Amino acid sequence: MKAFFNSMTGRVFLALMLGIIASAALTQWLAVNERQRTLERYRNFHALERAEQIIETADVVRPESRAQYLQVASKGSVQLELAGEGHAAVQPPTEFSSALSQRLGREFHVTPLADRPQACDKPLPTNTLFGPTQWRGTCESVHIAMTDGQVLKLSVLPPRAPAPTGHNEYAVFLPFLLCVAILAYLVTRMTVRPLKQLAQAAKDLGNDINHPPLGLAGASEIRQASAAFNAMQARIRQYIAQRTEMLAAITHDLQTPLTRLRLRLEKVDDEDLRQKLIGDLSAMQAMVKEGLDLARSIDAGGTMQKLDLDSLLDSVCADAVDAGQQVELKGSASMSLLGRPLDIQRCLVNLIDNAVKYGQKAHVTVERLAGAARIRIRDEGPGIPQDQLARVFEPFYRLESSRSRSSGGTGLGLTIARNIAEQHGATLSLANGDGGGLEAVLTLPEFYAGK
């Protein structure tokens, strides 16, 4: 769940959910408050009409029968009763008392009282999520001096609590949230899908520069981004092809003068000088050859084929043994992989040659993992300092110890091997073994038909 909300999809989904819920809550709050204000205005007008009605009716009732009438008439939120004997505190006229005084005329004297009915301060039961808990309409008491001099007390109380409807507002809110979540998820997928396609295209471009271009579909902005991505891929492909062709031409053109130099060096009379010059010339030829191999390892051209990993490993190790190298192969993967045979073979040969050259012997172990095969190539050499394990993958980088040009290395073998591995979606890493020696770990993905 944490990973989901850390992703682009999760963040857009959360922003949409919070935005829609906040908008819906604000709309509901405004609607409930507007409904409450309308109800208060209606109840105030109704209380004014009711008060005028029962006061004028009580005035025409005989004084000896007035108490009985008041008992029958005062059963709602507007109650009229005989005033007490004590002196009550008064207050300035209110909006309700002024309106009632105008309606009743000069024959009646309306005096607003400072003491509010106790029901005014009681919380209101509510069955809505945003409903007010306090009645904000008219709620007060006034003294009414009748035409015969009798004083009555009029109390305007909050309305009675509505009858329970059996309707649970939260039960309605949950389907609303579910609909909002589905809508937000669909909008999020529609928004983030082009970004995922661009990310996958960038990943595929890293694995295969000749990967088919993106299709131009969707919104205009997405089509523009896809077109720009395709143009970038074409420029990179052209740049790599031009560089490879240039290096191939340089290598081809250098072969003839290097061969002539080697023939002429054979005529040098000084044996010691001749051997030194021939050694330097051989190093130059090796650097030219591996430079071309490096350029080819970056270029992902060529047809991918289904390969049997065990057969390929057996062939590479057998060729190494035939060449006089000490190579030992253990285990089996029993799986197929998708790749270019010559490139995979060059990667394995470079790793084995590197182990034999600097560690005298190569111990090759292969094992099957979930959806991949792991090949370990361990030598018996001194290993590499921990802080230089990553730097040995840099082109032409050589250690100052036994791994130097004097041992025949050009500093490109591991670089070529890593480039080939990345072109095939594999990973290559180096680590010093617990018992000494350097171990190269190559993890190759398994080939699944239809993918």
Side-chain angles (χ1 to χ4, degrees):
M1 183 63 69
K2 183 178 180 181
F4 173 75
F5 286 110
N6 285 335
S7 64
M8 184 67 176
T9 303
R11 293 181 179 182
V12 174
F13 175 78
L14 184 61
L16 286 175
M17 280 288 294
L18 293 179
I20 295 176
I21 292 176
S23 300
L26 178 61
T27 303
Q28 181 69 9
W29 179 78
L30 292 174
V32 169
N33 278 269
E34 181 61 28
R35 183 178 62 186
Q36 185 66 21
R37 285 192 294 269
T38 302
L39 177 63
E40 289 168 0
R41 289 193 295 268
Y42 170 77
R43 296 290 298 188
N44 291 345
F45 178 77
H46 174 75
L48 190 62
E49 291 280 338
R50 177 64 177 166
E52 179 186 6
Q53 178 184 3
I54 62 175
I55 290 173
E56 290 180 348
T57 303
D59 187 62
V60 298
V61 176
R62 291 182 299 176
E64 59 271 16
S65 303
R66 187 172 293 168
Q68 186 178 1
Y69 165 76
L70 295 178
Q71 185 178 2
V72 174
S74 301
K75 290 186 178 181
S77 58
V78 178
Q79 298 181 2
L80 189 64
E81 57 186 349
L82 298 176
E85 297 294 336
H87 179 71
V90 299
Q91 65 173 353
T94 63
E95 181 179 356
F96 175 81
S97 63
S98 299
L100 181 62
S101 179
Q102 291 179 0
R103 282 175 170 264
L104 294 176
R106 296 181 180 180
E107 294 83 3
F108 298 88
H109 297 283
V110 181
T111 305
L113 302 179
D115 294 335
R116 286 161 50 91
Q118 294 183 356
C120 297
D121 299 323
K122 291 182 179 181
L124 290 176
T126 178
N127 57 359
T128 61
L129 187 62
F130 300 98
T133 58
Q134 194 72 33
W135 176 252
R136 296 170 300 187
T138 300
C139 188
E140 58 184 271
S141 297
V142 295
H143 273 174
I144 307 295
M146 310 297 286
T147 56
D148 58 1
Q150 189 177 20
V151 179
L152 303 180
K153 182 180 179 181
L154 175 70
S155 298
V156 181
L157 306 178
R160 297 177 180 177
T165 61
H167 181 69
N168 190 348
E169 187 171 296
Y170 295 98
V172 178
F173 196 64
L174 289 178
F176 168 77
L177 284 180
L178 181 61
C179 294
V180 167
I182 295 175
L183 176 62
Y185 180 73
L186 293 177
V187 173
T188 301
R189 283 195 59 185
M190 183 178 62
T191 304
V192 177
R193 184 184 300 169
L195 298 178
K196 289 184 176 180
Q197 291 176 348
L198 285 176
Q200 184 62 39
K203 183 179 179 181
D204 295 337
L205 177 63
N207 295 331
D208 182 8
I209 192 63
N210 295 315
H211 192 273
L214 284 173
L216 302 182
S220 59
E221 294 82 2
I222 301 302
R223 292 197 300 270
Q224 291 175 3
S226 300
F229 186 88
N230 292 337
M232 178 193 67
Q233 180 180 357
R235 289 193 297 268
I236 294 175
R237 187 188 299 116
Q238 182 181 10
Y239 168 75
I240 293 177
Q242 290 175 349
R243 186 177 65 172
T244 304
E245 292 174 359
M246 179 185 64
L247 288 175
I250 292 174
T251 302
H252 180 270
D253 293 342
L254 284 176
Q255 291 298 328
T256 301
L258 288 175
T259 302
R260 288 199 302 264
L261 282 174
R262 192 176 190 91
L263 293 174
R264 291 171 181 173
L265 286 176
E266 297 294 338
K267 299 179 182 181
V268 176
D269 295 332
D270 190 333
E271 179 68 22
D272 184 53
L273 177 60
R274 183 171 66 248
Q275 294 300 325
K276 290 181 179 179
L277 291 175
I278 290 177
D280 290 339
L281 186 61
S282 299
M284 291 175 60
Q285 289 178 322
M287 290 183 65
V288 170
K289 179 181 179 299
E290 291 201 7
L292 181 59
D293 290 341
L294 175 62
R296 288 173 176 170
S297 70
I298 299 175
D299 185 7
T303 305
M304 290 282 191
Q305 301 178 19
K306 181 180 179 181
L307 305 175
D308 183 83
L309 182 58
D310 291 333
S311 299
L312 185 61
L313 268 176
D314 289 337
S315 175
V316 171
C317 293
D319 291 343
V321 172
D322 293 341
Q325 295 179 332
Q326 299 185 49
V327 180
E328 179 186 32
L329 175 61
K330 292 182 179 180
S332 63
S334 300
M335 61 165 267
S336 300
L337 59 91
L338 188 66
R340 293 176 285 273
L342 293 180
D343 290 347
I344 296 293
Q345 183 178 4
R346 184 184 300 121
C347 175
L348 294 172
V349 168
N350 285 2
L351 294 176
I352 292 176
D353 286 347
N354 194 72
V356 173
K357 186 181 298 181
Y358 304 121
Q360 291 76 46
K361 188 174 182 181
H363 300 274
V364 182
T365 304
V366 59
E367 57 183 340
R368 178 77 173 271
L369 301 177
R374 182 165 56 194
I375 303 173
R376 300 178 182 271
I377 303 175
R378 182 175 58 84
D379 61 33
E380 297 180 356
I384 295 178
Q386 192 70 25
D387 58 344
Q388 300 189 45
L389 285 174
R391 296 198 61 190
V392 294
F393 286 109
E394 299 175 4
F396 300 106
Y397 181 80
R398 290 179 294 270
L399 298 176
E400 296 298 329
S401 59
S402 62
R403 299 174 184 266
S404 62
R405 184 174 296 179
S406 61
S407 60
T410 60
L412 292 176
L414 289 176
T415 306
I416 294 172
R418 184 187 61 176
N419 289 342
I420 293 174
E422 291 177 350
Q423 292 292 341
H424 290 77
T427 59
L428 176 61
S429 60
L430 296 177
N432 291 310
D434 296 334
L438 182 69
E439 184 178 67
V441 181
L442 177 64
T443 305
L444 294 162
E446 185 176 1
F447 169 69
Y448 294 98
K451 287 192 176 182

